[in-house]
Amino acid sequence: MDKFTTVRKVFENNKNSENATTMSAYMKNQFEFYGIPSPERKKLFKEFIKSEKSYKIIDWCFLDKCYEDAHREFQYLVFDYLLDMKKYISFEDIKNIKRYITTKPWWDTTDFLCKVIGDIGLRDTRVSKLMIDWSINKNIWLTRTAILHQLAYKNKTDSGLLEKIICNCLGSDEFFINKAIGWALREYSKTEPEWVKTFINKYEGSLSSLSIKEAMKYII
């Protein structure tokens, strides 16, 4: 039995139809679900991912098969896998992650995968230029990734890069872009509240009300 078939069998043996209906509805019925909550999924595949990690190489063919499956938990498994194997992912691998971001795209997988991009960015300065390019891409999920990739950086945040990326997105009427702008600023306000206040004052006329509302959540 190949790796993908083994994993699918685990999913099928643990499916919950009632949960699946609820989870699908939460995602506006765009995706099928096995109905397995995140903590349970991670527990089910803990040993599998641990075994994969021992090889110290990313099995992109396996991940591609996971992304082809209709069940959303397979895409979540890809994120679990990549996050645990992050030290083996290089800048050259971003082309694969980009394909996942733009395949069956929605906020859930985008917000997972931008963390993987962000980790590469801490190790490779080439990510900064790429994120500027993505910030002007017509694909909103690549743009959202660019905005959010520094979300967990805290004091390692490149504020100049953050400003440049957000400025490239000002004037958008896309909910997921404006929400991401607010989220990025809100998170950075925990580290540099004065910078965020200055930014909002500077661009208040161009920022959407949604972005400002989100950004100001922790600012007194």
Side-chain angles (χ1 to χ4, degrees):
M1 190 179 296
D2 65 62
K3 188 189 304 183
F4 176 79
T5 303
T6 300
V7 167
R8 184 172 59 191
K9 189 172 183 179
V10 173
F11 272 131
E12 290 176 348
N13 288 342
N14 289 275
K15 63 185 178 181
N16 182 312
S17 298
E18 186 175 344
N19 282 349
T21 300
T22 301
M23 293 167 77
S24 182
Y26 182 67
M27 289 295 166
K28 299 186 182 299
N29 296 309
Q30 296 184 92
F31 313 106
E32 292 181 43
F33 281 85
Y34 283 114
I36 302 172
S38 180
E40 185 179 344
R41 183 190 73 248
K42 291 178 180 180
K43 185 177 179 180
L44 286 171
F45 294 103
K46 182 179 179 180
E47 290 305 314
F48 168 75
I49 292 178
K50 183 178 179 180
S51 175
E52 288 295 298
K53 198 172 181 179
S54 67
Y55 298 121
K56 300 181 180 181
I57 187 170
I58 308 295
D59 186 346
W60 294 107
C61 289
F62 166 70
L63 297 182
D64 286 349
K65 284 185 178 180
C66 289
Y67 242 83
E68 289 169 5
D69 195 274
H71 296 87
R72 200 59 165 171
E73 286 94 342
F74 264 108
Q75 283 91 68
Y76 297 161
L77 178 61
V78 169
F79 166 70
D80 294 339
Y81 179 111
L82 290 175
L83 199 62
D84 216 47
M85 299 276 280
K86 61 185 180 182
K87 71 187 217 177
Y88 305 115
I89 306 174
S90 68
F91 179 83
E92 286 70 27
D93 292 319
I94 291 180
K95 64 182 183 297
N96 296 313
I97 302 168
K98 179 182 179 182
R99 188 171 69 252
Y100 298 152
I101 292 170
T102 56
T103 300
K104 303 176 186 176
W106 197 237
W107 62 264
D108 55 341
T109 48
T110 300
D111 294 358
F112 285 156
L113 293 169
C114 74
K115 297 179 183 179
V116 182
I117 299 290
D119 184 76
I120 301 171
L122 288 172
R123 296 180 275 112
D124 196 315
T125 57
R126 290 178 291 175
V127 170
S128 296
K129 183 183 181 304
L130 182 62
M131 292 300 100
I132 292 173
D133 292 342
W134 283 15
S135 72
I136 57 176
N137 195 288
K138 291 181 180 180
N139 185 294
I140 66 167
W141 304 110
L142 293 179
T143 301
R144 184 174 168 97
T145 299
I147 296 167
L148 297 177
H149 84 281
Q150 294 192 91
L151 199 64
Y153 281 18
K154 297 182 180 179
N155 60 1
K156 293 180 181 178
T157 299
D158 182 338
S159 57
L161 176 62
L162 180 62
E163 181 171 6
K164 189 175 292 187
I165 287 173
I166 292 177
C167 285
N168 282 345
C169 303
L170 293 178
S172 174
D173 59 1
E174 171 55 56
F175 171 84
F176 288 108
I177 298 301
N178 291 325
K179 184 81 169 180
I181 290 171
W183 186 13
L185 291 172
R186 182 183 74 204
E187 198 63 27
Y188 193 41
S189 75
K190 297 176 184 177
T191 303
E192 291 289 348
E194 291 304 318
W195 186 94
V196 174
K197 276 195 265 188
T198 299
F199 182 92
I200 292 171
N201 289 335
K202 184 177 179 181
Y203 296 105
E204 187 174 7
S206 301
L207 285 163
S208 72
S209 57
L210 173 61
S211 296
I212 294 173
K213 180 182 178 182
E214 289 289 323
M216 294 293 290
K217 186 172 182 179
Y218 300 122
I219 295 176
I220 299 174

